[in-house]
């Protein structure tokens, strides 16, 4: 391609450069990433921090802004898509930074262990607005171990005819588990939909009945 | 907002290792390179929302890394005994200590521009057009700097290789940035 000899030793040389600058040690990259998380947090650049935790309903993604927990997502929602949506709707400064999620992760763990019946976390409702936000803010009034119908929630928010809108507010709850949309059932007592799927809803309701 | 920019974490995941290679090639295989890496990604995180969606992210990162490597070097030199040195003399970036052997001994003797051109093209995978944009000067000058750098590395490293194990000859080449992959 250029002025080099026909007997070109460049690939070997470049290989040696690659070997000499080897980055395959995962511990080094992890350490550098931790440092980036800490410095980003220090400089106020950690707009969206996230982590994933293992739970009885599968891996949950937890994401927080500096205002509070902004998103809880089930694996079936596709965590990559959820992060892309956070990037577009909140800020593209999205970084895996588990430390900021420590309090949320601890409370979710306690909830699944049956040792917590209410969450005490700052929430950021940036992903909801209007009637959906109103509904989601009232969901925590349905106490642990209890359920309500979509119609009852509509009455609770002072709009008894908005049963379908309550349904879509529950379906689009950006903070499932923590904001208990799983406690809302159809008026005939059947399960209704759930962002985490029917099995997850059954698991959460069963957990709360047993505790 | 029509912005569909990817989450910054994906930038770290996709380009973190390449940028670390580039920082090491320019600064040497020690903590200066990690300082430059950290400063690069912190600055990139800050500027990320404003980067045009169609920008070449890798070239952008290498450009930032280029500046941060210079910052790290200057900062270190401020704490060292000042020496008169012309910019185009032997590299003041990441000079290996006297015990450096093999490829590092050869890399440490390259003039700065050649060392940067080799790092950005062969490790960063940037076409010479992008290398020229970072270093200043023409695309041809960038290509020449890299070719000169490779030639003197080969001369020096081949000598050094006599004390190496020779196992390098068995390694398959599976690289980005090898000649021809990024025509400029």
């Amino acid at each position: 391609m250029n002025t080099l000899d026909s007997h070109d030793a460049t690939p070997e040389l470049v290989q040696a450069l690659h070997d000499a600058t080897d980055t395959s040690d995962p511990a080094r990259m992890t350490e550098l990433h931790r440092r980036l998380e800490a410095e980003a947090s220090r400089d106020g650049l950690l707009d969206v921090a996230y982590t994933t935790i293992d739970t009885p309903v599968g891996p949950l993604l937890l994401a927080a802004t500096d205002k509070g927990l902004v998103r809880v997502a089930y694996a079936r929602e596709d965590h990559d898509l959820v992060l892309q949506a956070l990037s577009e709707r909140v800020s593209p400064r999205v970084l895996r930074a588990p430390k900021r999620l420590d309090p949320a992760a601890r409370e979710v763990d306690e909830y699944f262990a049956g040792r917590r019946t209410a969450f005490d976390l700052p929430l950021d409702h940036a992903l909801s607005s209007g009637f959906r936000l109103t509904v989601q803010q009232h969901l925590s009034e349905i106490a642990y171990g209890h359920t309500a119908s979509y119609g009852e929630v509509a009455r609770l928010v002072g709009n008894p005819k908005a049963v379908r809108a309550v349904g879509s507010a529950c379906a689009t709850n950006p903070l499932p588990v923590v904001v208990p949309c799983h406690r809302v059932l159809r008026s005939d007592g059947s399960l209704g939909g759930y962002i985490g799927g029917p099995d997850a809803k059954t698991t959460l309701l069963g957990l709360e009945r047993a505790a | 907002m029509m912005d569909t920019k990817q989450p910054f974490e994906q930038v770290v995941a996709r380009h973190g290792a390449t940028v670390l290679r580039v920082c090491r090639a320019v600064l040497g295989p020690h903590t200066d390179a990690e300082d430059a890496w950290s400063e690069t990604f912190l600055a990139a995180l800050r500027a990320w929302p404003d980067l045009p969606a169609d920008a070449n992210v890798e070239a952008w990162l290498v450009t930032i890394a280029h500046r941060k490597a210079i910052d790290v070097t200057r900062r270190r030199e401020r704490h060292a005994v000042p020496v008169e040195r012309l910019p185009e003399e032997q590299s003041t970036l990441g000079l290996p200590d006297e015990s450096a052997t093999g490829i590092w001994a050869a890399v440490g003797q390259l003039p700065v521009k050649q060392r940067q051109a080799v790092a950005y093209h062969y490790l960063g995978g940037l076409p010479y057009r992008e290398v020229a944009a970072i270093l200043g000067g023409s695309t041809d000058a960038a290509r020449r700097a890299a070719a000169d750098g490779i030639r003197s590395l080969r001369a020096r490293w081949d000598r050094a290789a006599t004390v190496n194990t020779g196992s390098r000859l068995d390694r398959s080449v599976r690289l980005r940035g090898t000649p021809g992959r990024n025509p400029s």
Side-chain angles (χ1 to χ4, degrees), chain B residues 62-92:
Chain B
V62 173
T63 305
I64 300 173
H66 169 76
R67 289 198 295 264
K68 294 302 179 186
I70 292 170
D71 290 350
V72 166
T73 306
R74 283 195 186 135
R75 219 163 37 230
R76 192 188 41 207
E77 283 178 347
R78 240 179 273 136
H79 299 288
V81 183
V83 206
E84 284 299 319
R85 207 192 280 278
L86 294 171
E88 282 308 308
E89 279 187 7
Q90 177 177 293
S91 174
T92 59

Side-chain angles (χ1 to χ4, degrees), chain B residues 117-157:
Chain B
V118 168
Y120 304 157
H121 179 71
Y122 286 100
L123 298 178
L126 301 193
Y128 287 120
R129 182 174 29 80
E130 302 280 2
V131 177
I134 293 171
L135 296 181
S138 67
T139 301
D140 278 348
R143 185 184 287 115
R144 252 190 328 271
D148 290 349
I150 289 290
R151 192 181 305 109
S152 58
L153 279 179
R154 209 169 58 197
R156 293 196 178 102
W157 176 60

Side-chain angles (χ1 to χ4, degrees), chain B residues 7-35:
Chain B
F8 190 77
E9 180 65 31
Q10 287 182 17
V11 177
V12 184
R14 274 186 202 149
H15 304 288
T18 300
V19 173
L20 184 57
R21 274 185 200 290
V22 168
C23 291
R24 284 179 174 164
V26 171
L27 289 168
H30 40 64
T31 55
D32 280 353
E34 301 196 350
D35 289 347

Side-chain angles (χ1 to χ4, degrees), chain A residues 19-68:
Chain A
D19 292 345
T21 56
D22 179 53
T23 55
S24 62
D25 176 7
R28 285 316 307 143
M29 292 310 289
T30 303
E31 182 54 38
L32 281 171
H33 198 289
R34 283 217 189 91
R35 181 172 163 187
L36 178 62
E37 294 160 32
E39 291 176 354
S41 179
R42 177 200 67 197
D43 290 358
L45 296 173
L46 200 46
D47 293 353
V48 180
Y50 75 91
T51 191
T52 50
I53 59 170
D54 287 323
T55 75
V57 291
L60 288 182
L61 180 140
L62 307 177
T65 66
D66 58 357
K67 293 200 193 84

